[in-house]
Amino acid sequence: MSETGNGADPRTSPIPPASRASGPTADPTGAPPAGPTPGPAPTPPAGPSRRAVLAAGAAGAGAAALPGTASAAPRPMAPNPPAPHPAAAPVPQRAAPAPTPPPTLAPYASYWFPDSLPQGTPGPGIVWRSLAAWTPEADPDLPHNTATVPLAPRFTPVPANRTARAGQARIASLVSFGPTALNPSQGSATADYYALTHWAYLDELVFWGGSSGEGIVLAPNAPVVDAAHRNGVPVLGNVFLPPVAYGGDLQWTRDLVRRDSAGRFPLAEKLVEVARTYGFDGWFVNAETDGGDSALATRMREFLHALRAAGAPHGLRITWYDAMNSTGGVGWQGALNALNQEFFEDRSGRVADSVFVDFRWTARTLADSAALAERLGRSRHELWAAVDTESRGWDADVPWDAIVPRDRDHVVSLGFYRPEWTLGHLADRSPGAFHRADDLFWTGASLDPARPAPEPPSGWRAPATAVADRSTVSALPFGCSFNTGHGLRWYEGGAVTSDAPWNHLGLQDRLPGRRWAVDTAADTPGERPSVTLDFADAWRGGSSLLVAGTLTAPTTVGLHATRLPLTRTAVAELVHSGGVSVEFGVATREAAAPGEPVPYTWLAAPSRNAAPGWHTSRFPLATLAGKTAYALAVRITGRGTSAVSWRLGALTVRDTAPGRPPAPPTHLKLAASARRGREAELRLRWDRAAGPVRHYELHRLLPDGTRRFLAGTCGTALHLPSVTRAGRERAAAFELRAVDEAYAVSAPARLALRW
């Protein structure tokens, strides 16, 4: 699965250019990358000891010097990040290594080699680590990389249109959120980030990456896992054994599947320990290093069995990529067939939970693969047919009827490779431009899953038109401030409390799954307004829902599919701005059939408020007590034909019976610091607050009395890249608060940093 499209054809370039990391192959010719003559690779000659390599890498672990302001914090690179030091062959020792910047305290997502390390010296900012040597106790970044949000259960509402199917094809995505090395653990100070929000259509997310010059076993960073889990989507780490043409060394495969003296597979147990410790859901195993034999293939299959046995008690899953086959060689099949089926199901039972079928598939090979899966007693939808969206996105030429036909049952499931194209192809990479493109990718040209646009014969088949959406909104309290996990500023109560751009997916809300179901009243044609996630103003977080345009009829905007039990003391609240009449819709039963209207009960806000600014409308739900809310919506009515610009800043549904506010976090402390003149870089730690916590927010109290938002996280550790002394203050004062699902905040835990 090595990348093409970087200006060098892997069929003719045995050494990849230094500007590109390895990734999956979507070679239209179907030819595998050419490299040295296949055969067992010799063990690399001895180089520096592991301790020496780790020490050399640690000196560059924070590639940038301490930034002068928060906005200069380490940031993710653009999609298709460069591999700073790909190693297609043993790398000679440098006579005079280039000086490295001073180390910082910045934590980064973890990556390893199975055991053996490359020859030579790692590039700037890269740390070569052995997975075999990893222990949680010796991992200094572990508190920053641990996901804390549990995987939420999901349900499937009646689909929004007649072509979306429930219980058939599913969707997996392989996404590169940043580089392998120097991928920030907890977001960074930029809004230029792939802030995925269409979780409703995903069943599995693979944290894609890895290269032979950095590391080939990747653990997902915590913000990605926390956001995915909040929406019920499992996240897999990546084991990428690269092709020889991209620096792959068969010794790494042998290291991975090595048995110990007791016959166990120590790295299978280590992978399970990593997943459990970091809080993610399993592994995507991609063995593309050629030169093996049938004995190595047998050992790989036994390794997968051991990985499954160790992970099954903890609910961990395995996806196998269609590369290595039963001969031990790499021959991408584009199918499930006799050469690779033993990595999916063998005589002793299940091996992998699913197989990512290589891009070389055809309609015939997918149909045959589906039939074989069923003969093996498995579901055809446990096969992901690879769809390459890295280079052309929605212009990709895909024979959709081979995967998700309209006129019969789906053949297999969909596997998107690099859908972050929706950000990567843009000239304008602002958050608003990205979400407009991402909505188009997932929903289609109509931008309304309830009213799909007619599909041209060779056009894009948007996921929302084929796959039923899912939701996790099934318990009170529920809150959504339409925060996407990145923004140009940070808002609280409608006021800006930080003017720095930011990203942190763990702070993302559970957003409406259907983007956007809009009805302008059947008996009056009406003019459809635009409905977007907007970043120019917000009530809380970085964004709000904006409805803009001319309204000639009342306009309904569908929000969340839910399963909320309503009580006599339940209440809904909307925070909104714009001079229109507002009603809140609650559906106490589902649509009668796919594509049929949702039967809302409408509750009117007390009165229209024409004054500028944010207003809160409260809707008691006592009349619906004992029922279940199946869907939520808003309906707005403008004044005549005047254009409107109406924002929804927050929606909460909660029980108002007396309850406790969130408990504050405890034992807030300074875990590490680095001082440089009037600046300090900090690591903070604390103990979890008692009771339910959505996330934590850290503020700084400035000498003039203002509170500035610094960062948030779902975990119990934060890194602050730069705190600058304000004037002659004697100490920088910090406050940390716990935030619950309805955005109630706790009393603060306080910390002072003396200058």
Side-chain angles (χ1 to χ4, degrees):
M1 258 171 111
S2 359
E3 285 177 345
T4 58
N6 58 355
D9 188 337
R11 292 167 292 167
T12 58
S13 301
I15 300 177
S19 62
R20 193 62 168 267
S22 297
T25 304
D27 188 344
T29 68
T37 302
T43 301
S49 70
R50 180 175 298 118
R51 178 176 298 177
V53 171
L54 286 172
L66 181 70
T69 64
S71 62
R75 54 172 286 178
M77 299 181 187
N80 298 327
H85 189 72
V91 180
Q93 287 281 12
R94 297 187 178 112
T100 58
T104 78
L105 300 175
Y108 296 105
S110 296
Y111 55 93
W112 303 269
F113 291 95
D115 193 4
S116 304
L117 302 176
Q119 297 295 303
T121 304
I126 299 171
V127 182
W128 286 346
R129 306 176 180 92
S130 163
L131 177 63
W134 175 85
T135 63
E137 298 78 16
D139 186 343
D141 291 345
L142 183 59
H144 301 270
N145 282 323
T146 303
T148 59
V149 176
L151 181 64
R154 299 206 287 184
F155 60 88
T156 305
V158 174
N161 59 71
R162 291 179 173 83
T163 57
R165 313 274 181 82
Q168 295 194 27
R170 304 175 297 149
I171 299 176
S173 283
L174 276 60
V175 176
S176 175
F177 288 92
T180 297
L182 300 177
N183 185 351
S185 296
Q186 296 177 303
S188 59
T190 177
D192 184 357
Y193 192 74
Y194 180 64
L196 169 65
T197 63
H198 287 274
W199 302 103
Y201 302 107
L202 278 181
D203 271 273
E204 182 171 288
L205 178 74
V206 176
F207 191 78
W208 178 254
S211 77
S212 57
E214 299 166 286
I216 59 176
V217 179
L218 278 69
N221 62 21
V224 170
V225 179
D226 286 334
H229 280 188
R230 190 170 282 127
N231 290 278
V233 178
V235 180
L236 304 190
N238 191 31
V239 178
F240 174 49
L241 300 163
V244 172
Y246 281 78
D249 187 332
L250 199 62
Q251 183 60 44
W252 294 332
T253 305
R254 295 190 178 111
D255 288 345
L256 182 71
V257 302
R258 183 182 66 245
R259 289 184 185 269
D260 63 15
S261 58
R264 297 188 300 264
F265 289 91
L267 288 190
E269 296 174 6
K270 191 70 74 171
L271 288 174
V272 170
E273 184 182 16
V274 167
R276 292 192 64 207
T277 302
Y278 280 71
F280 59 94
D281 306 288
W283 294 95
F284 183 93
V285 182
N286 177 13
E288 290 193 90
T289 310
D290 209 347
D293 55 19
S294 59
L296 186 62
T298 298
R299 184 64 58 86
M300 175 64 77
R301 178 169 52 83
E302 293 168 344
F303 165 83
L304 294 175
H305 270 299
L307 180 60
R308 162 167 299 285
H314 313 291
L316 301 185
R317 56 202 288 175
I318 302 167
T319 292
W320 174 258
Y321 175 62
D322 162 28
M324 176 187 276
N325 58 47
S326 59
T327 70
V330 173
W332 299 272
Q333 300 300 301
L336 179 72
N337 60 24
L339 276 173
N340 60 20
Q341 71 179 52
E342 68 179 25
F343 298 107
F344 179 55
E345 182 87 11
D346 67 9
R347 291 181 179 179
S348 60
R350 183 181 292 255
V351 182
D353 294 279
S354 54
V355 171
F356 200 90
V357 177
D358 180 72
F359 305 93
R360 294 157 175 78
W361 55 262
T362 65
R364 171 60 64 84
T365 65
L366 289 186
D368 291 346
S369 299
L372 175 57
E374 291 178 341
R375 288 198 302 273
L376 294 171
R378 301 285 294 275
S379 168
R380 60 176 55 208
H381 302 304
E382 292 171 352
L383 306 177
W384 315 103
V387 174
D388 179 20
T389 57
E390 178 192 16
S391 57
R392 297 179 60 200
W394 52 62
D395 290 325
D397 185 12
V398 182
W400 294 107
D401 285 345
I403 311 171
V404 285
R406 297 288 200 210
D407 58 350
R408 61 188 188 280
D409 286 347
H410 292 163
V411 179
V412 292
S413 291
L414 280 164
F416 284 137
Y417 172 60
R418 308 294 297 277
E420 74 271 19
W421 173 90
T422 55
L423 175 65
H425 84 289
L426 295 174
D428 172 9
R429 293 169 64 99
S430 66
F434 159 66
H435 286 286
R436 286 190 293 273
D438 211 46
D439 285 354
L440 183 61
F441 180 98
W442 291 95
T443 304
S446 72
L447 297 178
D448 187 341
R451 295 169 178 77
E455 182 183 310
S458 60
W460 177 249
R461 186 164 295 177
T465 69
V467 176
D469 56 300
R470 270 70 49 85
S471 173
T472 63
V473 183
S474 58
L476 298 180
F478 165 67
C480 176
S481 63
F482 303 94
N483 180 22
T484 60
H486 65 161
L488 303 173
R489 290 164 289 276
W490 181 269
Y491 296 81
E492 294 172 29
V496 175
T497 54
S498 171
D499 58 6
W502 62 278
N503 71 79
H504 191 300
L505 279 188
L507 304 181
Q508 184 185 89
D509 286 317
R510 286 182 289 177
L511 294 162
R514 299 173 179 179
R515 223 67 62 68
W516 295 94
V518 179
D519 186 357
T520 57
D523 55 346
T524 306
E527 184 174 334
R528 178 192 169 103
S530 68
V531 182
T532 58
L533 294 165
D534 187 74
F535 297 81
D537 197 6
W539 173 253
R540 201 174 204 291
S543 47
S544 59
L545 186 155
L546 175 64
V547 181
T550 301
L551 302 184
T552 59
T555 296
T556 298
V557 179
L559 298 175
H560 296 83
T562 63
R563 293 289 187 274
L564 296 177
L566 300 178
T567 63
R568 190 165 297 279
T569 51
V571 63
E573 289 183 342
L574 301 179
V575 181
H576 54 100
S577 67
V580 300
S581 296
V582 178
E583 298 168 274
F584 180 62
V586 180
T588 55
R589 55 185 176 86
E590 292 203 83
E596 293 297 311
V598 178
Y600 293 109
T601 297
W602 293 103
L603 308 171
S607 62
R608 181 203 306 256
N609 197 322
W614 294 97
H615 306 280
T616 300
S617 295
R618 183 181 174 94
F619 303 88
L621 302 176
T623 58
L624 304 177
K627 298 182 179 180
T628 297
Y630 287 93
L632 308 176
V634 291
R635 185 165 67 187
I636 62 174
T637 304
R639 297 171 176 172
T641 58
S642 299
V644 303
S645 181
W646 180 79
R647 291 182 185 275
L648 181 56
L651 158 66
T652 58
V653 185
R654 57 191 175 86
D655 196 316
T656 57
R660 296 180 179 180
T666 57
H667 303 115
L668 175 62
K669 64 182 180 181
L670 181 64
S673 65
R675 306 286 185 99
R676 298 180 181 94
R678 296 177 58 84
E679 296 180 43
E681 181 183 14
L682 309 177
R683 283 191 177 197
L684 305 182
R685 291 288 308 275
W686 60 90
D687 292 339
R688 287 193 65 84
V693 175
R694 187 189 188 280
H695 66 263
Y696 300 91
E697 294 177 358
L698 182 72
H699 293 80
R700 183 176 176 186
L701 297 183
L702 295 172
D704 63 4
T706 60
R707 289 173 68 240
R708 177 179 297 168
F709 173 80
L710 296 180
T713 184
C714 299
T716 56
L718 271 173
H719 168 252
L720 301 180
S722 178
V723 175
T724 304
R725 186 176 184 181
R728 297 184 177 180
E729 68 176 354
R730 293 184 178 181
F734 303 97
E735 292 187 340
L736 181 73
R737 292 174 170 82
V739 181
D740 73 9
E741 288 292 335
Y743 305 107
V745 299
S746 73
R750 293 187 171 92
L751 177 71
L753 174 71
R754 295 195 176 277
W755 294 108

